[in-house]
Structures are given as C-alpha cells and as structure tokens.
Amino acid sequence: MSRQIRVAAAQSGPIQKDEPRQSVVARLTAMLDQAADAGADLVVFTELALTTFFPRYYAEDRAEMDDWFEREMPNAATRPLFERAAERGVGFYLGYAELTPEGQHFNTSILVDKQGTTVGKYRKVHLPGHAEHDPERAFQHLEKRYFLPGDLGFPVWRTMGGVMGMCICNDRRWPETFRVMGLQGVELVMLGYNTPSVNSQKPGEAIEKRTFHNRLTLQAGAYQNATFVVGVAKAGDEDGHHLFGESCIVNPDGEIVAMAETEADEVVVA
Ligand code: ING
C-alpha cells in the first residue's frame, strides 16, 4: 500500500530584532493552520524560526546573546504552536537556538508528531562562519562563536508512517549529512536555512550562484539517497541583510515538485 504524506514547507519572511517571540509564534501558527487547511500532515518550519538571524551580530560577552536562546521547549512563547498543532493533528519541524540546563548552546531542530510529542532532536553539526569579529567581512557570520557543534549525529526516526530525518542549513552542503541518513533508510529529510544572498567574503558573487548551490545541494541529497527533501528558508530583508527564499520540496528523483514564490511567510504543499 502506498504511504502518502502531505508535507508543507512553511517559509518565514524576515524577523526583525525587535519582533517579540509571541508575534513570531502567531505567524507560525497561522501558517500551520493554512497548511492543515490544505490537508498537510507535517509542517516544516525554518532554521532559528523564533528570532532574527542573530549570529550576524557580534557581542564581546557571549552571555549577552542568551536572550536569543530557548531554555526549554515548549515554553510559554511556543506552547500555543504545540497546542494548535495537536488540535489540528499536524506534526512539525521547528528550528531554534537551544540553551541546555548545563549551559551549552546549540543550533537545534525538533520533530514533533501529530499528538504534540517531541519525537526527535537534531543539533547542527556544520557551523559556518567564524568565532571572532572579522573586520574583513561585509557582515559577520558568528555561528562558530555562539553555538557548539552538534553532538547527536545524524539520526532518523520512524514516525508519521515513514523514516524521517533532520538537518540544518549549512549541513546540506556536506554529502555526509544526507548519506548517513540515507544509509539508515531515510525517506524524508527536513531542514531549515537562513542563507544570506551576499557572500560576506565575495560581495561581487551573483545571487544566482547562491540559489544554484541551494537547489544543487537539496536535489543531489534527495537523488543520491532516494529520499524526499524539504528545504525551508527564512527569507527577505532582516535589518538590512537579505536572505534568499526558494523554499522547496524535492522528490527522490531529485526533481523540485514545489517551490515558494515570495520572500514572505508562504506555505507550499506537496
Ligand atoms: N547560512 C549559510 C548556509 O550555509 C553560508 C552560510 C552561505 C555558507 C553560503 C557558505 C556559503 O546556507 C547558515 N545559516 O548556515
């Protein structure tokens, strides 16, 4: 029997520094409703989906950045999303900045099933950018300063009728990410990304190369591991820094079967 699942890529438009989490969660919840109305079983949100992409800002004292992190999940700000998802019977992927009770900082995603139970957690392994302020760069990309490399590997989970895997943003650029999950029989890989349209070290590089590399990594990962891949952007202009969109759903033949058309909050279903 064919195991069909309707998946929604829920792309986020820009999140500004001063936008409260409650406002962001209301946006995510509205997209979840839209996806559920379109018959989706599973909604994929983006990387660091609750806040602006704060690793673009330098802080001498890293503790100053702790306000961008979540100490527990769900929490007061995100519980409405978990509750609405369970009401609608929809599972979801959510990317956020995790601060553990032991004081460790990770760029994290979770997989929540249709009953609102967190069935999986992933922590970003490939952290791009740099750890110290780099005046040579057009803008900073300080993931190496604010996050530890993920310590959970690339697991897969049997849930919602399939074998599901997760990764985050820069992970998609490294073949081992998809391959390790492929060797475990993954059937659907979900990932969020916040990718600047400008290369901070090569400002002259055309955006077309960046979006080409995005499609290339998602399509190759899908085809070479016979898996669906759902890539979901945070898009648009955050504090003067542009992030490209093109959130998409790719089938195991490596074909893009659906793609976002805007740089705003947008739900694409397949
Ligand atoms: N962003 C970018 C990404 O990997 C980047 C950083 C862009 C690295 C382009 C190399 C080239 O898509 C995040 N958040 O990893």
Side-chain angles (χ1 to χ4, degrees):
M1 52 99 178
S2 85
R3 291 174 293 121
Q4 297 255 327
I5 181 170
R6 273 178 78 74
V7 183
Q11 171 178 290
S12 285
I15 301 176
Q16 304 311 331
K17 280 181 85 168
D18 58 0
E19 180 166 1
R21 281 182 180 66
Q22 287 72 6
S23 159
V24 175
V25 170
R27 288 168 52 185
L28 300 179
T29 306
M31 285 200 281
L32 185 135
D33 273 332
Q34 192 184 337
D37 293 346
D41 303 293
L42 175 60
V43 180
V44 184
F45 293 112
T46 191
E47 172 188 26
L48 297 175
L50 302 174
T51 66
T52 197
F53 186 72
F54 63 85
R56 71 167 68 92
Y57 303 110
Y58 177 77
E60 181 62 31
D61 173 5
R62 298 177 199 195
E64 276 176 34
M65 303 305 267
D66 283 358
D67 288 348
W68 297 113
F69 288 75
E70 313 302 324
R71 287 167 169 74
E72 57 189 12
M73 186 56 69
N75 54 30
T78 55
R79 205 172 309 285
L81 176 64
F82 281 68
E83 288 170 354
R84 179 65 61 80
E87 276 167 30
R88 302 297 309 262
V90 171
F92 63 93
Y93 163 114
L94 181 71
Y96 65 93
E98 176 190 13
L99 175 50
T100 72
E102 300 74 30
Q104 294 183 311
H105 299 73
F106 294 105
N107 187 341
T108 295
S109 67
I110 52 172
L111 178 54
V112 180
D113 72 12
K114 296 183 172 186
Q115 289 72 39
T117 304
T118 299
V119 296
K121 174 179 279 189
Y122 171 76
R123 290 167 171 163
K124 186 174 183 178
V125 168
H126 301 89
L127 298 171
H130 46 107
E132 299 304 327
H133 188 271
D134 179 352
E136 299 296 308
R137 285 174 181 253
F139 53 87
Q140 304 301 297
H141 195 112
L142 292 157
E143 292 193 58
K144 286 190 168 75
R145 185 175 187 81
Y146 300 129
F147 301 121
L148 280 175
D151 57 355
L152 303 175
F154 300 106
V156 299
W157 295 272
R158 278 158 180 70
T159 181
M160 286 180 268
V163 182
M164 310 282 178
M166 296 190 277
C167 66
I168 300 175
C169 201
N170 198 259
D171 287 323
R172 73 193 185 288
R173 300 179 189 280
W174 307 93
E176 69 274 13
T177 302
F178 290 103
R179 192 70 199 129
V180 168
M181 290 188 274
L183 291 172
Q184 299 172 75
V186 77
E187 298 173 317
L188 172 60
V189 177
M190 296 159 263
L191 63 108
Y193 58 88
N194 289 207
T195 304
S197 305
V198 172
N199 184 328
S200 61
Q201 295 175 299
K202 287 192 274 182
E205 184 179 77
I207 186 171
E208 287 70 27
K209 179 175 277 191
R210 324 254 304 146
T211 53
F212 161 65
H213 285 160
N214 182 51
R215 292 189 300 274
L216 176 66
T217 55
L218 300 178
Q219 290 178 272
Y223 174 65
Q224 292 177 330
N225 296 284
T227 177
F228 284 89
V229 172
V230 183
V232 181
K234 166 99 76 50
D237 180 314
E238 289 191 339
D239 197 15
H241 299 273
H242 186 265
L243 304 169
F244 66 72
E246 296 204 3
S247 303
C248 63
I249 300 172
V250 186
N251 73 16
D253 278 341
E255 298 162 321
I256 295 175
V257 295
M259 180 177 273
E261 294 168 353
T262 72
E263 293 185 337
D265 290 4
E266 179 178 348
V267 173
V268 181
V269 179

